[in-house]
Amino acid sequence: MAIKVSVVVAVRNIGGDIGRNVKSMLAQTMPGSDVEVLYVDDGSTDDSPERLEKAAAGHAQLQVIRSEHAGSYAGPRNLGLERARGEFVLFVDDDDFLEPDALRRLYEFAVEHEADIVQPKLVAGFPEAAHPVYRRTAGRCGLGDSDLAWALTDHKLFRRSFLAERGLRFDESKRVLEDAVFAAEAYCATARIAVYADYPVYQWRSRHHAVRGAGGLHEVESWFAHVAALTDVFASKLEAGPARDRALGRVYESEVHGQLSRRIDWVDAGQGFDAWFEAARKTVAAHMPSTVGGSLGVFGRVASVLLERGDRDRLAEWYRLARAVRVDAHLERAEWSADGGLELGATARLVWADGSPIRFERVEGRVCLDRSLADRFALEADLLDVTDEFEAYTGALSVSHREEGLRWPCPAVFERTLAADAEGLVTVAFKVSGGIRTEADGARERLSRGLWDAHLELSGFGLARDLRLGADREAGIDLRPAVLGAPARGVLPFFTAVKGELTIDVGKKARALGDHLSGRAVARDGDRALLLDAATSPSTAPVGAKLLVEDGAGDWYEVPASVRPFEGRWRLELPGPVAGLAPGDGRLFARLDPGGVPPLPLGAVRIGSDGALALPAGPDNLLALGARARRRSHPCHANGRTRTDDGEGQRDHPGLQPGQVHRTGHRLAAAPDAAGVGVRGAVRERRLQ
């Protein structure tokens, strides 16, 4: 059978950490007969080869290839490419891994869109993986109309015949970032490029690998040799025009200005700002086409002029000014919609370090960045013209998983507004309306369990700035808890304790639903149901819950109950008659969370002579206890311990008052029936996921 995908993994002294990579390959949903995984060991001096051979012994799709130490990943990758038999080839680093459905999805997407290259969604906890290029799927895109030039790793699916026909191989003379040049050459050789961002395909776990051979990733000479090689690829293989300027602009912004601006306070003679400044000037002068610097946004454009004229001090000052620009955002509303989305409203703008807004001037029908900067940095005023940049100035709303680094875009509208100040200068702000969907949204699956932080990003004028939303907000925003999806799970928005930033706990990773409902209004729905103040949607699945009932004799019972969505709230239905309950006035609690989380107090209940539960007469809107009852007043947190019998002998049971009896299924004479008998041990626990 023909191999669909060959995965090439270059390995060097990874040791036991290779296990996660191997496990992910064996967990792929694509049949093993359609896959080959080529582990090419680059002369490891540890036990990496032996570990791989042991893993491969029982799995035909795993192959181990040993080679002499090549000095970089280029050699083993080329060897793997030579041995590959698949229709497509995917390069994976030895400390990274794939999600289970990665290969199947990538292959089917590539075939559907007849792509030579597919850039998958990368997931990592560092800024490179948060770039917008990894956020939206595109069946066809290119260097001129997308941010592909910001994705220059080799973590891509390549059609093998395309690589062979173009003679594309990794440059084995390079010791750092050989994959960037390979990716750039591949981009320049085809128009059939796609991005697949609907699934977290590739888990990128390490920013950089140990350098093999002379030089280093942050050593000035090797770095600018990389910059020169990358620049030469785009400059020589792309025709002059927007696509070439955009690709080279990425190199100028990231590889030159990005690295230089991080070193403005370094004083090391060999590796400090001065050394990098001189190397950058020489490299730009020798390799970068003169049109590129002028094509950047105004902040990059000014930096390029200062660099190219050798104005070291003003360039350092400009970098400091630009790096301090930040997003200023005010959260105005956060409320659940009927379809289960957390709808947000905010205003946002870019501001300087002191919090003052970035201002613009209108000059003869044009718009310029505050022209006082021209005098300060000895610039031609025309250099600050941003008229043609306004349409590209926009924003984005997203959520990121705090532990995994996974980020998903959220639908949002950014409405640009302009206002003139007393000096006649113009400030620009956005009115933002958007929503966070925790359940499946289009091709994206439901958000995984964990803490998800809300981000607001503004990008334009050569800058991109990101802010955790919520620290500055309207007073009185009420973040209701929600129960959403199928199977249903708690979705708990909150503002963090230290900075007050908006986070959503999906699946009750760190917080309890009962805690979020405590003190919130409870409404009666007749005498047989309560409406809890948790947001729901029509697609919220019903769940089983546990009611704790104190009967007329002061004994406690645990009985099953049903909770389901009802007109945007959560409707808790009282069960039928419960055998053994003493008639009279009692109290009602709901256990909504696992573990030692206290149950939620719901108020009074009337128990009939037949054990039927009913809500006492009163107003339709009741108020649940404003805070949790004292520990001694409800069944999980009483002072003292009592003896109970659950059919396996006497044992201590925390949480009941001395003298109370906890009646279990084994103590009752009657077996559980459709009416719902009060039991504990015999009732299977069902809780929100």
Side-chain angles (χ1 to χ4, degrees), residues 450-462:
L451 300 179
W452 291 84
D453 299 321
H455 293 258
L456 192 149
E457 177 184 324
L458 295 181
S459 58
F461 313 114

Side-chain angles (χ1 to χ4, degrees), residues 134-413:
Y134 302 115
R135 296 184 198 171
R136 299 194 184 278
T137 292
R140 186 71 81 244
C141 56
L143 291 169
D145 60 5
S146 74
D147 289 324
L148 278 172
W150 290 88
L152 289 179
T153 69
D154 63 340
H155 308 142
K156 298 170 178 54
L157 189 74
F158 296 92
R159 189 180 297 273
R160 189 165 63 89
S161 61
F162 156 72
L163 297 178
E165 291 167 3
R166 301 298 193 277
L168 294 173
R169 292 171 57 86
F170 292 89
D171 183 354
E172 296 186 29
S173 69
K174 286 180 63 61
R175 292 296 181 264
V176 295
L177 298 168
E178 71 286 343
D179 57 337
V181 171
F182 177 83
E185 291 178 333
Y187 283 155
C188 294
T190 182
R192 300 198 302 179
I193 307 172
V195 175
Y196 182 68
D198 293 336
Y199 181 76
V201 170
Y202 191 106
Q203 295 287 343
W204 193 8
R205 297 295 92 183
S206 179
R207 294 186 63 176
H208 306 299
H209 292 280
V211 176
R212 297 158 173 79
L217 186 61
H218 293 293
E219 192 275 322
V220 62
E221 291 184 5
S222 62
W223 179 262
F224 282 102
H226 151 70
V227 173
L230 193 56
T231 302
D232 289 347
V233 169
F234 287 134
S236 64
K237 295 185 179 297
L238 296 174
E239 294 183 1
R244 189 179 79 161
D245 283 350
R246 185 165 182 160
L248 288 171
R250 181 272 190 206
V251 178
Y252 210 152
E253 286 186 33
S254 177
E255 315 297 79
V256 178
H257 293 313
Q259 293 295 324
L260 268 180
S261 64
R262 296 187 184 103
R263 290 169 169 77
I264 51 180
D265 294 317
W266 288 23
V267 294
D268 182 277
Q271 295 296 321
F273 181 73
D274 288 340
W276 280 69
F277 173 78
E278 291 301 328
R281 282 192 69 203
K282 293 177 182 178
T283 302
V284 168
H287 297 271
M288 191 71 68
S290 59
T291 59
V292 176
S295 70
L296 303 180
V298 65
F299 283 92
R301 191 163 64 243
V302 169
S304 299
V305 167
L306 296 174
L307 173 66
E308 292 169 20
R309 78 184 187 195
D311 197 337
R312 182 258 188 220
D313 293 339
R314 285 194 176 96
L315 178 62
E317 184 182 357
W318 183 260
Y319 281 152
R320 287 192 177 91
L321 185 75
R323 284 175 65 85
V325 172
R326 59 184 175 84
V327 176
D328 176 51
H330 180 72
L331 182 64
E332 298 177 334
R333 61 182 177 87
E335 55 196 14
W336 292 103
S337 63
D339 63 353
L342 185 60
E343 300 298 327
L344 306 178
T347 56
R349 61 183 180 178
L350 289 175
V351 298
W352 300 112
D354 62 1
S356 62
I358 293 178
R359 303 190 303 174
F360 303 86
E361 289 186 62
R362 298 183 187 275
V363 181
E364 298 179 353
R366 308 291 290 177
V367 180
C368 298
L369 188 63
D370 187 347
R371 292 201 299 175
S372 65
L373 295 170
D375 295 334
R376 178 176 170 184
F377 289 92
L379 303 169
E380 294 291 334
D382 290 348
L383 190 65
L384 301 178
D385 190 326
V386 296
T387 306
D388 298 332
E389 299 178 48
F390 257 86
E391 287 305 312
Y393 180 32
T394 187
L397 180 68
S398 62
V399 289
S400 66
H401 193 287
R402 191 176 297 175
E403 295 178 356
E404 298 173 359
L406 175 61
R407 184 177 287 214
W408 292 110
C410 301
V413 174

Side-chain angles (χ1 to χ4, degrees), residues 6-11 36 38-43 63-70 72-85 89 91 160 168-172 182:
S6 297
V7 182
V8 175
V9 186
V11 178
E36 63 176 4
L38 307 178
Y39 288 100
V40 185
D41 183 75
D42 183 36
Q63 301 177 38
V64 182
I65 303 170
R66 294 200 184 200
S67 66
E68 297 295 324
H69 181 39
S72 76
Y73 271 151
R77 285 174 178 145
N78 283 335
L79 180 56
L81 184 57
E82 292 169 5
R83 300 283 186 90
R85 298 173 295 155
V89 179
F91 295 99
R160 189 165 63 89
L168 294 173
R169 292 171 57 86
F170 292 89
D171 183 354
E172 296 186 29
F182 177 83

